[in-house]
Amino acid sequence: MNFTRWSARLPGTQRRAAARDDRSSVPAARAEYARPEGTPAQRDDAAPEPSGTDTAEGPPGPALDDLSAREILGRLPAPVALLHGPDHRVAYVNDAYEAAFGPRPTGVPAAEAMPELDRLSVLPLLDQVLRSGTPRTVKSRRTTEGGSYTVTCTPIAGEDGVLVYAADVTDHAEAAERLRTSERRHRETAVTLQRSLLPQELEQPDDLRIAATYQPGGTDAAVGGDWYDVITLGAGRTALVIGDVMGRGVRAAAVMGQLRTAVRAYARLDLPPHEVIQLLDVLAAEIDASQIATCVYAVHDPNEGQLVYASAGHLPILVRDEDGTVQRAADPTGPPLGTGGWVHTSGTIALPPGSTAVLYTDGLVERRSEDIDEGVASLARALEGAKGSPQVVCDRLIRSLGVTAEHDDDVAVLVVQHPARTGANAELFHNAALDLLGGIEAAPRARAFATGVLTSWRFPVELRDLGVLATSELVANSLQHGTPPMRLGLRRTDRRLIIEVTDGDDHLPRRRQAEPADEAGRGISIIASIATSWGSRRTPGGGKAVWCEFALPQ
């Protein structure tokens, strides 16, 4: 390689050459003439006058303009190599290059003499640099020796050569890796917390089949606060909940956990959906007013064949009928939780046998390139053809909406199926009801009705007698403390016998310890001692329902 020609293209070299030409072309006499009279001639070897401690130092180093290209490259602390020709033969490597990668023979193609360029992914760039005349850079590539380098390949105009400059970025790469590791651990902690706060196993009601899926966002997205729950309320009723805390990270997961715990507590009070949402609204503001959360709470009653729901800023429930038609739950939908000042109300949507309901968070349907209503419409179209078990429907909906492991948002989906039962399976589910008309004479009619129904359902004698006793106590309690209209309901599923009495008074009974001399007050205690579970709730019409359950022998 001709370093003289290359050095002429380096910065400063052309200025140095021009200065030499100017000095040689000016006659000495002209210089003497230009010097003022009495001024001594300036000699090149004249030493500067002493100035303090400066004279103790050695002679000054050469100026940059006095260095050749080889000397400049040799003094660089970064590895530098010069390659020449279409085979990229080694023309020169500086001392820093040899210190980093070892000596390299000149005249040998780089593909043979410089394996480190292959490991740094530089070899494929050399041809591109020669052809295009444009520099190329590979950033933060790691070598087998353990260092990390950013390498720039620059074409040398007119020389058919490439200058390879490597910058050691090992410290930066290690710092970046430590940061990524810290972020990864933080995310793993948030995901672990999030999953631990979600139900580890969904409750499976007698009348419904339920599956749920939670998928955190991709590795570049912080985990959010998506959550869901299924709560059996007794008497065959089931609460379905899904929500989304809009924040990110551990804090969002912690807020989500508090809201989910609160929902379970409120659900045990057997309140209407809008009252549960109203209580959550107040609680969310107390937990963290800066966190925005949405939620929908729905209750399914098998005797009514519908979902009663209330929503706080959440996306609408979708229900697919048996014929494939998809219905969207309409208003009412209030503002998100924590805003306050809003009176929530409940709505209803039919969930007949053979239908499927889908509750979901915005990560499933929201895309930056389209309006969220378009995403909900896409979900409805996907639901039209989604058949199979609830888990199969979950998986199909996620695939249809293009949710992958690298999705940029959390996704939670809750699929609820109300199966249509036929044949022998249908014989395991029965309902019977009797209006309690008149006064105290309604009690013996209720006992006779319960005896006949339970006998026809082929229950064992012991279970039948317990059912008749429970019916007698519930009816007697309603006749004594309730008001018309009164109604007795019997229901059997494949797992339990449910007895429920409703009346027009909204005063809920409570269990108390009766004194030995008391003639009343033992009815609820008897129910609690013989039944598997019992409870009471206020009904939408202003009355109440008192119920008990008996687990069937499997």
Side-chain angles (χ1 to χ4, degrees):
M1 295 294 293
N2 189 335
F3 274 97
T4 301
R5 286 189 295 164
W6 277 27
S7 64
R9 291 172 170 80
L10 294 175
T13 306
Q14 295 177 358
R15 292 196 302 271
R16 185 175 70 243
R20 284 198 302 267
D21 293 342
D22 291 342
R23 287 198 298 270
S24 62
S25 62
V26 178
R30 182 178 176 182
E32 288 292 333
Y33 178 80
R35 187 170 59 245
E37 185 178 354
T39 303
Q42 178 70 33
R43 298 204 318 266
D44 291 340
D45 57 351
E49 294 185 4
S51 57
T53 60
D54 290 345
T55 57
E57 298 180 357
L64 180 63
D65 288 348
D66 296 329
L67 296 176
S68 68
R70 179 184 291 272
E71 291 172 322
I72 293 174
L73 297 179
R75 295 190 180 193
L76 290 177
V80 175
L82 295 175
L83 309 177
H84 178 67
D87 294 336
H88 313 297
R89 297 181 180 273
V90 181
Y92 168 78
V93 293
N94 68 352
D95 293 340
Y97 195 100
E98 292 186 348
F101 304 110
R104 293 294 179 259
T106 58
V108 181
E112 301 176 11
M114 295 179 160
E116 65 277 359
L117 296 187
D118 185 32
R119 294 191 293 269
L120 293 170
S121 303
V122 173
L123 286 179
L125 297 181
L126 297 177
D127 290 334
Q128 299 179 23
V129 171
L130 279 182
R131 286 196 305 267
S132 65
T134 304
R136 294 286 188 270
T137 300
V138 292
K139 295 183 178 180
S140 192
R141 299 298 174 89
R142 193 172 183 83
T143 65
T144 55
E145 291 81 3
S148 296
Y149 292 87
T150 291
V151 183
T152 300
C153 301
T154 305
I156 304 299
E159 294 294 335
D160 196 22
V162 177
L163 184 145
V164 179
Y165 177 89
D168 190 344
V169 294
T170 303
D171 291 342
H172 297 284
E174 291 177 351
E177 181 59 29
R178 287 194 297 270
L179 179 60
R180 286 192 294 268
T181 300
S182 176
E183 291 176 345
R184 184 166 56 249
R185 288 176 179 171
H186 181 81
R187 184 178 184 278
E188 289 172 354
T189 300
V191 171
T192 301
L193 175 62
Q194 173 87 344
R195 291 193 182 278
S196 67
L197 294 174
L198 291 174
Q200 302 305 301
E201 184 176 351
L202 288 178
E203 299 181 29
Q204 293 292 337
D206 297 354
D207 295 272
L208 302 175
R209 297 294 176 264
I210 301 176
T213 295
Y214 169 72
Q215 180 172 310
T219 54
D220 294 334
V223 67
D226 294 20
W227 56 285
Y228 56 83
D229 208 349
V230 178
I231 309 165
T232 53
L233 303 177
R237 301 165 68 250
T238 305
L240 310 166
V241 197
I242 197 164
D244 186 4
V245 179
M246 298 304 179
R248 293 283 183 177
V250 174
R251 184 168 185 80
V255 172
M256 175 274 290
Q258 294 178 77
L259 291 178
R260 176 176 175 258
T261 301
V263 168
R264 294 193 71 87
Y266 297 148
R268 296 306 177 193
L269 300 176
D270 220 338
L271 300 172
H274 65 275
E275 292 189 22
V276 172
I277 293 295
Q278 203 78 50
L279 291 172
L280 279 179
D281 186 28
V282 176
L283 180 65
E286 294 176 354
I287 293 175
D288 190 343
S290 65
Q291 292 278 9
I292 298 176
T294 64
C295 178
V296 61
Y297 179 89
V299 175
H300 174 257
D301 190 332
N303 296 318
E304 298 175 358
Q306 63 182 10
L307 287 177
V308 182
Y309 66 91
S311 174
H314 205 79
L315 295 166
I317 301 172
L318 299 181
V319 175
R320 178 188 181 275
D321 295 333
E322 195 169 15
D323 62 0
T325 304
V326 175
Q327 306 290 334
R328 181 185 301 192
D331 291 338
T333 296
L337 298 175
T339 56
W342 184 269
V343 178
H344 293 271
T345 57
S346 296
T348 61
I349 185 170
L351 188 69
S355 60
T356 300
V358 177
L359 293 78
Y360 52 96
T361 58
D362 59 359
L364 181 64
V365 297
E366 189 173 28
R367 302 292 182 272
R368 293 175 181 159
S369 59
E370 63 182 21
D371 187 79
I372 194 169
D373 287 337
E374 297 178 10
V376 175
S378 298
L379 176 61
R381 290 191 294 270
L383 181 59
E384 290 177 358
K387 298 180 180 180
S389 68
Q391 189 59 58
V392 170
V393 173
C394 268
D395 297 339
R396 289 182 176 177
L397 293 180
I398 286 179
R399 287 197 304 270
S400 298
L401 272 294
V403 177
T404 64
E406 300 303 319
H407 193 58
D408 61 357
D409 196 4
D410 290 31
V411 174
V413 183
L414 184 65
V415 174
V416 182
Q417 289 184 346
H418 186 188
R421 298 179 174 88
T422 57
N425 191 31
E427 292 299 317
L428 299 177
F429 293 81
H430 288 288
N431 284 287
L434 173 69
D435 289 327
L436 301 176
L437 304 175
I440 58 173
E441 67 274 9
R445 288 202 304 271
R447 288 193 294 270
F449 176 78
T451 301
V453 169
L454 299 183
T455 301
S456 68
W457 288 350
R458 300 178 182 178
F459 284 147
V461 174
E462 181 181 358
L463 178 59
R464 183 190 63 195
D465 292 343
L466 290 175
V468 172
L469 176 59
T471 299
S472 177
E473 293 296 334
L474 290 178
V475 170
N477 184 76
S478 181
L479 291 174
Q480 182 175 357
H481 302 289
T483 59
M486 303 177 185
R487 184 178 177 87
L488 167 65
L490 303 175
R491 176 172 173 78
R492 71 155 294 170
T493 70
D494 58 343
R495 305 177 195 175
R496 73 200 75 211
L497 165 66
I498 302 168
I499 303 172
E500 184 177 68
V501 175
T502 60
D503 64 56
D505 183 78
D506 62 359
H507 177 73
L508 299 180
R510 60 184 179 88
R511 185 179 180 181
R512 63 185 179 89
Q513 186 67 41
E515 298 296 332
D518 291 343
E519 297 183 358
R522 296 182 176 83
I524 296 300
S525 295
I526 293 174
I527 294 296
S529 62
I530 65 175
T532 305
S533 61
W534 77 279
S536 62
R537 72 179 189 279
R538 290 185 173 88
T539 55
K544 68 174 179 295
V546 185
W547 55 268
C548 66
E549 294 180 350
F550 294 88
L552 301 184
Q554 298 298 314

